[in-house]
Amino acid sequence: MSVLVVGSIALDSVETPFGKADHVLGGSGTFFSASASHLTPVQLVGVVGNDYPLDQLQPLAKRGVDLAGVEQADGPSFRWRGRYRHDLNSAETLETHLGVFSHFAPKIPAQFREAPFVFLANIDPRLQLQVLDQVEKPTLVACDTMNFWIESRRPELLELFAKVDMVLLNDGEARQLTEKTNLVHAAKWILERGPKYVIIKKGEHGAFMFSADSVFYAPAYPLENIFDPTGAGDSFAGGFIGYLARTGDLGEANMRRAVIYGSAMGSFAVEQFSIGRLLDVTRDDIDRRVREFRQLVSFETELAEQGA
Amino acid sequence: MSVLVVGSIALDSVETPFGKADHVLGGSGTFFSASASHLTPVQLVGVVGNDYPLDQLQPLAKRGVDLAGVEQADGPSFRWRGRYRHDLNSAETLETHLGVFSHFAPKIPAQFREAPFVFLANIDPRLQLQVLDQVEKPTLVACDTMNFWIESRRPELLELFAKVDMVLLNDGEARQLTEKTNLVHAAKWILERGPKYVIIKKGEHGAFMFSADSVFYAPAYPLENIFDPTGAGDSFAGGFIGYLARTGDLGEANMRRAVIYGSAMGSFAVEQFSIGRLLDVTRDDIDRRVREFRQLVSFETELAEQGA
């Protein structure tokens, strides 16, 4: 089944302790699409300026990302410049130029409106709500957000939460939004506002998936070489939602597997700048990493498994 | 099989966002013993001053902690005063009075010298080496350390590493010691210096166990109420080494189970001040939490498990 994603399509300039890259493909919609397209067809909606190297999106198109919803507007593309120092968990933003993204009003092409899976990447919650008005009863809607919207669009964000099935956000955002230090309390707070699932991403410390009656935890893969953390969260979302869309199974066991696929895709994303690694990873690589995750956490109890 | 532990026996005064406790039982030897004694007989070696409430150690004695190696010296006991603010992962030390601990020279009672399992808790590496001179070919020796010794006793610490089977330390200490940001690199650096296993504890973010050819990860249990993090690391060590001593099995599968027992004991330790929760937890509680850990991380792949 296909996934519709609405998000940013940017040009990133990134400096890490290991090198730098200028004006490379970035943005939540781009990372999500590059990741999810390994698992399922993707429909991307976003806006770029007339300076955008559209030809560089062609590898995505070849892998099943439908770019019919990528609008090219008059003006400069969204550009972000950031730096990571030793703490690869937090980016220092040096420059943000919204360009044509500041007037973005998502228009969902008619042929995308029945997408069964919808991911509302990190954009203004008012736009995320506008997308929901344009789609027909999806099987699952998930959204991401960020500190800026938590501060400036809190009522709209909570209105959105009441309409989605799942919220993905990082630990700092969860604490900021809920004003709760403890992540279990933060997750409960969010679940009480509508979503059936909350995924709290902790960067190099893994991710939790909470529902009303279960909690699942997946570590981040202990990589020897983390090159550039940009896009890890959106690549996680792409692997996660992509796997759900591919299997069409929203049962607990499959949701857990999907989190591991998300973690695997996040772990590939950080191995190179931009979507470099996501473009050349193979389905075998992905399956191998999923098995490595199992090796990483698996243990057998000597106790009878009497329905813990 | 029994475990010999050499460490501090202190009086702690702790303030957390949830309350405060004054002059309560603390110290690495105390937490380790309280934790390990749920699984195996413990032999504790340490020193207290003539102001120490020895009667408060009696519950440990009743649970199989042999206190014959607890020396009472003339002078004040080791006292630590600390505070945790919102970040429960890092303590702010307000006062440290070493008292009789500053002249501690571990004397291992004759009847403890053949202990098959030895834990050298966080004390001066010169003293840790002195302990090794007094014991007879243990099956397994593990040691802990801290930032202070990494700075001031680096050569002695590395001499120790060449003589132990396992090193436990936290992520900050591992990075400080090895000057490597990446924990996989840090673990390899330590493994190259002698130990067969390195455990890197990440507080609320869980723990890694590295060997030359495997890596295992256990999360911290997502508790709703973390009351006081003091002693979590030593309680982890107590559960881990205690489980190994109880089973006498150093195979990979059992080592992994042992890490989970360590994580379970660490998760109990933080539920109350001092060793309060460790004293009243039951074997059923422990087994239940081990099963909850399994629920927390377990997932089935749909892939054939072709020997990842």
Side-chain angles (χ1 to χ4, degrees):
Chain A
M1 285 187 268
S2 61
V3 182
L4 167 66
V5 53
V6 184
S8 60
I9 306 172
L11 290 171
D12 288 349
S13 295
V14 186
E15 198 180 326
T16 80
F18 315 107
K20 60 193 299 245
D22 284 320
H23 315 301
V24 292
L25 299 199
S28 56
T30 311
F31 279 104
F32 181 96
S33 299
S35 171
S37 64
H38 285 280
L39 299 159
T40 208
V42 178
Q43 299 164 337
L44 173 61
V45 172
V47 65
V48 297
N50 43 24
D51 57 350
Y52 206 83
L54 283 174
D55 55 309
Q56 290 183 34
L57 292 177
Q58 284 314 304
L60 293 183
K62 273 196 204 125
R63 258 238 308 291
V65 180
D66 188 332
L67 302 173
V70 178
E71 176 194 349
Q72 191 161 30
D74 200 28
S77 296
F78 178 16
R79 289 175 190 253
W80 177 78
R81 200 158 75 81
R83 178 164 58 192
Y84 298 84
R85 295 184 191 267
H86 279 296
D87 178 5
L88 292 171
N89 246 0
S90 61
E92 184 185 345
T93 290
L94 300 171
E95 286 176 52
T96 303
H97 301 288
L98 291 176
V100 295
F101 193 61
S102 64
H103 302 293
F104 180 43
K107 286 176 282 296
I108 311 302
Q111 70 273 29
F112 290 1
R113 293 187 181 173
E114 294 185 358
F117 288 78
V118 176
F119 182 63
L120 306 169
N122 167 33
I123 56 174
D124 187 331
R126 295 181 305 182
L127 302 186
Q128 291 174 313
L129 285 163
Q130 283 175 23
V131 172
L132 287 189
D133 287 341
Q134 297 176 60
V135 296
E136 310 277 343
K137 296 198 189 91
T139 303
L140 181 122
V141 178
C143 74
D144 197 350
T145 192
M146 70 181 294
N147 50 5
F148 183 75
W149 310 121
I150 292 171
E151 280 160 33
S152 60
R153 298 266 186 265
R154 192 180 178 86
E156 294 86 348
L157 193 59
L158 293 181
E159 183 186 343
L160 177 70
F161 280 11
K163 296 183 178 179
V164 302
D165 303 292
M166 180 181 298
V167 170
L168 293 88
L169 73 185
N170 71 36
D171 49 352
E173 292 156 359
R175 289 182 168 122
Q176 181 194 9
L177 172 69
T178 66
E179 296 176 344
K180 301 199 179 293
T181 309
N182 183 292
L183 293 182
V184 182
H185 297 169
K188 284 189 174 176
W189 189 99
I190 296 169
L191 289 171
E192 282 165 8
R193 271 135 193 100
K196 286 191 286 291
Y197 291 93
V198 177
I199 292 199
I200 298 182
K201 300 171 286 179
K202 305 201 297 169
E204 65 163 323
H205 302 302
F208 279 110
M209 175 172 67
F210 293 93
S211 69
D213 52 14
S214 78
V215 50
F216 176 62
Y217 174 80
Y221 195 76
L223 290 169
E224 290 203 48
N225 297 299
I226 299 173
F227 200 76
D228 172 14
T230 311
D234 295 305
S235 303
F236 172 96
F240 176 63
I241 312 279
Y243 186 81
L244 291 177
R246 182 167 85 86
T247 54
D249 172 0
L250 299 180
E252 170 80 14
N254 202 57
M255 298 281 289
R256 288 176 170 234
R257 267 194 295 276
V259 171
I260 299 295
Y261 275 83
S263 302
M265 296 314 295
S267 76
F268 286 120
V270 304
E271 291 183 346
Q272 287 180 30
F273 280 122
S274 183
I275 57 170
R277 182 66 176 127
L278 292 178
L279 284 182
D280 72 16
V281 74
T282 66
R283 188 57 205 266
D284 273 357
D285 296 329
I286 298 168
D287 290 345
R288 190 178 313 114
R289 187 146 296 171
V290 166
R291 288 195 300 270
E292 286 167 346
F293 268 97
R294 208 170 135 73
Q295 285 289 314
L296 179 63
V297 299
S298 72
F299 68 95
E300 298 299 322
T301 60
E302 54 171 349
L303 311 163
E305 302 283 337
Q306 56 233 65
Chain B
M1 284 187 271
S2 61
V3 182
L4 167 65
V5 54
V6 183
S8 61
I9 306 173
L11 290 171
D12 288 349
S13 295
V14 187
E15 199 180 323
T16 79
F18 316 107
K20 60 192 299 243
D22 284 321
H23 314 301
V24 293
L25 298 199
S28 56
T30 312
F31 278 104
F32 182 95
S33 300
S35 171
S37 64
H38 284 281
L39 299 159
T40 207
V42 179
Q43 299 163 337
L44 173 60
V45 171
V47 65
V48 297
N50 44 23
D51 56 350
Y52 206 84
L54 284 174
D55 56 307
Q56 289 184 35
L57 292 177
Q58 285 314 305
L60 293 184
K62 271 194 204 128
R63 258 236 309 290
V65 180
D66 189 331
L67 302 173
V70 177
E71 178 195 348
Q72 191 160 30
D74 200 29
S77 296
F78 179 16
R79 287 173 192 257
W80 175 77
R81 199 158 75 81
R83 178 164 59 193
Y84 299 83
R85 295 184 191 266
H86 278 298
D87 178 4
L88 291 172
N89 245 0
S90 62
E92 183 185 346
T93 290
L94 300 171
E95 285 176 53
T96 303
H97 300 288
L98 292 177
V100 296
F101 193 61
S102 63
H103 302 292
F104 180 43
K107 286 176 283 294
I108 311 302
Q111 70 274 27
F112 289 2
R113 292 185 182 173
E114 295 186 358
F117 288 78
V118 176
F119 182 63
L120 306 168
N122 167 32
I123 56 174
D124 187 331
R126 295 182 305 181
L127 303 185
Q128 291 173 313
L129 285 164
Q130 285 176 22
V131 172
L132 288 189
D133 287 340
Q134 299 176 58
V135 297
E136 311 275 345
K137 296 199 189 87
T139 304
L140 181 123
V141 178
C143 73
D144 197 349
T145 193
M146 71 181 291
N147 52 4
F148 183 74
W149 311 121
I150 292 170
E151 280 161 32
S152 60
R153 299 263 185 267
R154 192 180 177 87
E156 295 87 348
L157 193 60
L158 294 181
E159 184 187 341
L160 177 71
F161 280 11
K163 297 182 177 180
V164 302
D165 303 292
M166 178 182 297
V167 170
L168 293 89
L169 73 186
N170 71 35
D171 50 352
E173 291 157 358
R175 290 183 167 122
Q176 182 193 9
L177 172 68
T178 66
E179 295 175 346
K180 302 201 178 291
T181 309
N182 183 291
L183 293 182
V184 183
H185 297 170
K188 284 189 175 176
W189 189 99
I190 296 170
L191 289 171
E192 283 165 7
R193 270 133 194 100
K196 288 190 285 291
Y197 291 93
V198 177
I199 293 199
I200 298 181
K201 300 171 287 179
K202 304 201 297 169
E204 66 165 320
H205 302 303
F208 279 111
M209 174 172 67
F210 292 94
S211 69
D213 51 14
S214 78
V215 50
F216 176 61
Y217 175 81
Y221 197 76
L223 290 168
E224 290 204 48
N225 297 298
I226 299 174
F227 199 76
D228 172 15
T230 310
D234 295 304
S235 304
F236 172 96
F240 176 63
I241 312 277
Y243 186 80
L244 291 178
R246 180 166 85 86
T247 54
D249 173 359
L250 300 180
E252 170 80 13
N254 201 58
M255 297 282 288
R256 288 175 170 234
R257 267 194 295 276
V259 171
I260 300 296
Y261 274 84
S263 303
M265 296 312 296
S267 76
F268 287 120
V270 305
E271 291 182 346
Q272 287 180 29
F273 280 122
S274 183
I275 56 169
R277 182 68 176 125
L278 292 178
L279 285 181
D280 73 17
V281 72
T282 66
R283 189 56 207 267
D284 273 358
D285 294 330
I286 298 168
D287 291 345
R288 190 177 313 114
R289 187 147 296 171
V290 166
R291 288 194 299 271
E292 287 168 346
F293 268 96
R294 209 170 134 73
Q295 286 288 314
L296 179 63
V297 299
S298 71
F299 67 95
E300 299 299 322
T301 59
E302 55 172 347
L303 311 162
E305 301 284 338
Q306 56 234 64

